Amino acid sequence: MSFSPDGGGRRGDMALKHVFEGCRLVFWHKSHVSRMKDRVVDRGGSIAAALDKDTTHVVSGANTSLVTAAAHLAQAEHVRHVAVVVSWPSLSLDIDSMRVAAPTGVHFVLPTWITASMLKQTRQAESDHLSPFGQRLAAAMPQAHGEAAVSGPGGSGAPLCDAEPLPRKKARRPQPPAPCRVERVGSEFVAIEGDTLPRFTGGDSGLPWGWAGVWEEPWDEATAMATREKLRHHWYRTARAATAPPTGKDQGGKAPRVNTACRHAACAPHPFCIVEKLAEYRSVYVEGRDQYRIKALERAIQQVAGHGSPLEEDADVDHVGLGPKSAQKVRDVLRSGEFIRVAAVAGDKRLQTLALFSGVWGAGPTTAQKWYADGARSLEDVARRPGLTAQQLTGLKYYEDIQRKMPRTEVARGEALVRAAVFDLVDTLAPGLGADGVARTYAWATGSFRRGAPESSDMDMLVGLPPGTEHVDCVHFLEQLLDNLLEAGFLLEDMMGPGATSTLCRAPLTRASWMGLFRTEASPWARRIDVKVYAHEHLPFAVNYFANSQSFCRATRHWATQAAELARTCTGEPSTTGFKLSDKEVTVLLPEGGSSQSRIACACETDIFKLLGLDYVPVTMRYFNNYF
């Protein structure tokens, strides 16, 4: 297993190495950008200290003020400028508008443009990631070009960088965009009148959460990163020691060595990546049986990846803050660059056979060990066993297909087909809702695909019914949906029994689930698919649950159980110990493991984060390190 926290492993690095080719970036904010700069350079871009004639992009935070932007522009030399009056209607600034000399041909973007380009393995449209200054500049530029007011070297006008600010105007509170009129075309929504579809809904936009297929909520990168770090620290109990004292090899003013295998400071003295070696060791453990060992090793991976000093000698490991067993594992890697146990697994026929059996859909570690104990040594031996479940028979039939990863393009095709079928069924079962019913229906692939992973093991399809469908039974809805997808040839077969209903979770009528296989026309391989349907009342919690990575989900729920003070403030119950957060609700925890039956209403994911005293984190950031 290869591992790199900078972008999806070795295959991901090869795909990304030319993403920023031809780009020359300038960063206007200095904090937390060193690794981002390294990523840009690794992927073909270059970094400049200040604006110059070759600059293509300026990266700044969402809170960069107009005054700060103007000051940076005033220092630019040998850059062709255009006179622009930039309006900045905000109550938090001292200046509402200013005449600046803005460079032509430069994109002013947020750091999200870099991360989105890396996650999607291709350079994204800058217009989707413009910084506030870039947005104001884009709005003002057409008028400036029309006046042909050019200054700076080679221009005919006078330099404008030191121009006096325009008279102050009364600040106006920004108004939320008016909803445009949309029309559904298949699985998508198209604006046919008014403004284009907004990027965000909920929050301060004035639009209902999930309107017209737009589910992304407003967020701030700095606070989102702070929340993610807070949860990571809480979950892994990271206790980074003070900066480790330099070893004798680092003294004397020598420049630190650079590791060509990775860019972790801890790995600098070595020709290998310690973090990657730890991840290989993690693959030896079995999910479920070794869950505590896995958590301890993931914690060690986090701490080594974030350690700021080289690890050269055994004594250096003491400054990382690892547990005794994890520290010994790191020392073993430092001595030889390998793990003896990992090498042993490669030659252990028993472990290889157990890994083969565990790959059968419907067979866990316990089943795999039972098959081995009964004498099975191959998949053919397993297929001849009596008493196999329908799911295991299907897993054997499509074993090779299921082992293959799905590219994002294939997941997107399957997602669009299911979404169109969901929309058609909502129209059929709830005709009285009209177009608004479909516009408020959630039907998206979630999991690692939604977080931006380049490949996925399966497609997790989450369906949330719109308001006004309280009379619709989720089990009945899912039965009808599966019948339609089977008839359309999208689903391969009924894997679990003679009828689709045999695979459903029937206990609550407000949610239902099904697992199976599908195949798109563009692929010869059978792929796994999970379909889950939730009533609208549960939707924010279901979206939050299935969008998170496993570690982020556990961290959030563990944080909730310990938010006693927030729970007391929210409910006025002095004995509460925190919240219990699940895929369908949030309730208040009572002493001795009890849980209140009263639910706390949340209209969107932002409400959930606020309830827990956290800032909203976008889906694409809900993982730690490289565990999508």
Side-chain angles (χ1 to χ4, degrees):
M1 173 182 177
S2 62
F3 179 88
S4 168
D6 288 342
R10 290 173 180 166
R11 286 185 295 175
D13 287 343
M14 292 298 293
L16 292 170
K17 64 181 181 179
H18 299 301
V19 168
F20 301 110
E21 188 171 6
C23 297
R24 184 172 177 83
L25 280 67
V26 173
F27 284 78
W28 278 359
H29 66 304
K30 307 299 182 184
S31 61
H32 306 294
V33 296
S34 58
R35 181 173 292 184
M36 188 171 290
K37 290 180 179 179
D38 291 340
R39 292 174 176 177
V40 170
V41 174
D42 286 345
R43 275 66 179 181
S46 61
I47 306 297
L51 271 165
D52 57 29
K53 60 183 179 62
D54 296 320
T55 300
T56 60
H57 296 78
V58 171
V59 184
S60 63
N63 58 348
T64 300
S65 68
L66 175 58
V67 177
T68 301
H72 281 293
L73 293 175
Q75 298 172 4
E77 298 180 357
H78 309 296
V79 179
R80 181 178 176 83
H81 292 100
V82 174
V84 181
V85 177
V86 179
S87 175
W88 199 281
S90 174
L91 295 175
S92 61
L93 297 174
D94 295 331
I95 298 176
D96 296 309
S97 59
M98 178 180 288
R99 186 183 299 276
V100 299
T104 58
V106 177
H107 301 284
F108 293 82
V109 296
L110 294 166
T112 54
W113 175 74
I114 297 175
T115 55
S117 297
M118 292 185 60
L119 288 173
K120 298 185 179 179
Q121 302 186 22
T122 185
R123 196 178 307 164
Q124 298 300 291
E126 289 85 352
S127 58
D128 294 334
H129 300 273
L130 291 178
S131 65
F133 178 76
Q135 295 174 7
R136 300 296 175 186
L137 191 61
M141 270 295 192
Q143 179 182 358
H145 281 293
E147 296 171 356
V150 180
S151 64
S156 58
L160 297 173
C161 291
D162 298 325
E164 292 295 325
L166 295 181
R168 178 177 173 84
K169 298 179 181 179
K170 184 178 180 181
R172 294 179 298 173
R173 184 179 298 276
Q175 297 297 315
C180 59
R181 193 160 68 90
V182 300
E183 186 175 275
R184 178 170 74 92
V185 179
S187 63
E188 306 298 333
F189 293 93
V190 179
I192 60 174
E193 182 179 314
D195 297 332
T196 57
L197 281 171
R199 178 180 175 186
F200 299 110
T201 61
D204 298 328
S205 70
L207 300 176
W209 183 61
W211 177 82
V214 183
W215 298 87
E216 190 172 357
E217 299 174 47
W219 60 281
D220 175 77
E221 183 181 26
T223 58
M225 291 181 66
T227 294
R228 184 170 71 171
E229 179 63 19
K230 186 184 299 183
L231 289 172
R232 187 188 70 83
H233 184 281
H234 178 76
W235 178 238
Y236 292 104
R237 295 298 185 193
T238 305
R240 293 183 184 173
T243 303
T247 63
K249 297 180 182 180
D250 290 328
Q251 294 176 350
K254 293 182 180 180
R257 281 169 281 178
V258 177
N259 183 350
T260 57
C262 66
R263 289 188 174 272
H264 302 118
C267 308
H270 309 285
F272 53 81
C273 176
I274 302 173
V275 173
E276 182 174 311
K277 298 301 179 182
L278 290 173
E280 289 177 1
Y281 194 90
R282 181 188 182 280
S283 65
V284 174
Y285 292 135
V286 178
E287 294 284 351
R289 187 190 69 187
D290 300 321
Q291 56 179 335
Y292 296 108
R293 293 188 180 98
I294 290 173
K295 181 182 176 181
L297 194 53
E298 287 183 348
R299 175 179 177 270
I301 290 172
Q302 296 285 338
Q303 292 177 263
V304 172
H307 192 64
S309 301
L311 300 180
E312 296 192 63
E313 304 172 352
D314 286 359
D316 298 334
V317 181
D318 296 335
H319 298 283
V320 183
L322 301 172
K325 293 183 179 179
S326 295
Q328 186 57 48
K329 291 181 177 67
V330 175
R331 293 189 183 99
D332 291 344
V333 174
L334 294 182
R335 294 190 186 105
S336 63
E338 298 292 342
F339 277 124
I340 296 177
R341 186 177 178 187
V342 173
V345 170
D348 191 319
K349 297 297 184 183
R350 176 179 175 275
L351 292 178
Q352 290 177 6
T353 304
L354 289 177
L356 178 71
F357 291 169
S358 296
V360 176
W361 192 31
T366 302
T367 301
Q369 292 179 22
K370 184 178 185 305
W371 289 345
Y372 188 89
D374 290 344
R377 296 294 182 269
S378 67
L379 294 180
E380 289 74 15
D381 294 340
V382 172
R384 288 191 289 268
R385 289 178 56 85
L388 295 178
T389 67
Q391 190 178 24
Q392 291 166 355
L393 289 171
T394 302
L396 288 169
K397 179 180 178 181
Y398 296 101
Y399 185 88
E400 295 297 332
D401 289 14
I402 292 174
Q403 304 310 307
R404 296 175 180 271
K405 295 281 190 177
M406 266 188 296
R408 293 186 59 82
T409 52
E410 189 172 344
V411 180
R413 291 191 192 99
E415 175 192 51
L417 288 169
V418 176
R419 187 187 306 128
V422 169
F423 288 167
D424 290 341
L425 189 55
V426 169
D427 275 339
T428 301
L429 297 181
L433 297 179
D436 187 61
V438 169
R440 298 290 301 276
T441 300
Y442 188 98
W444 297 90
T446 184
S448 61
F449 172 77
R450 186 59 55 200
R451 294 189 294 274
E455 295 179 320
S456 301
S457 299
D458 59 1
M459 184 171 80
D460 298 310
M461 197 71 194
L462 178 61
V463 177
L465 300 182
T469 56
E470 291 75 12
H471 64 287
V472 177
D473 185 321
C474 287
V475 173
H476 175 64
F477 184 93
L478 182 53
E479 288 174 338
Q480 291 292 316
L481 177 64
L482 295 176
D483 286 344
N484 295 345
L485 292 174
L486 281 166
E487 185 178 350
F490 175 74
L491 299 180
L492 290 179
E493 56 183 287
D494 176 16
M495 279 69 69
M496 305 293 287
T501 57
S502 64
T503 67
L504 299 176
C505 173
R506 273 205 170 274
L509 301 181
T510 55
R511 56 177 175 166
S513 63
W514 179 87
M515 296 186 298
L517 296 178
F518 76 96
R519 181 187 289 137
T520 64
E521 295 180 354
S523 172
W525 315 114
R527 307 295 195 181
R528 285 181 51 194
I529 180 175
D530 293 352
V531 184
K532 299 175 178 64
V533 179
Y534 281 78
H536 187 76
E537 61 181 298
H538 301 317
L539 185 56
F541 307 101
V543 171
N544 179 264
Y545 185 90
F546 294 108
N548 300 340
S549 66
Q550 184 182 71
S551 294
F552 194 94
C553 187
R554 289 175 175 174
T556 305
R557 273 134 190 81
H558 190 243
W559 174 278
T561 60
Q562 299 189 355
E565 190 62 34
L566 288 170
R568 295 188 192 105
T569 303
C570 176
T571 64
E573 173 58 58
S575 62
T576 180
T577 59
F579 297 106
K580 180 181 179 181
L581 183 60
S582 70
D583 62 326
K584 60 186 181 68
E585 62 189 6
V586 59
T587 56
V588 178
L589 287 175
L590 300 177
E592 300 180 359
S595 179
S596 171
Q597 297 300 313
S598 60
R599 303 172 181 175
I600 301 175
C602 293
C604 60
E605 281 194 280
T606 297
D607 288 352
I608 299 175
F609 280 95
K610 286 182 177 179
L611 179 67
L612 302 180
L614 301 170
D615 291 297
Y616 177 80
V617 178
V619 174
T620 53
M621 292 175 60
R622 295 183 197 174
Y623 60 91
F624 304 128
N625 259 2
N626 200 42
Y627 295 115
F628 282 96

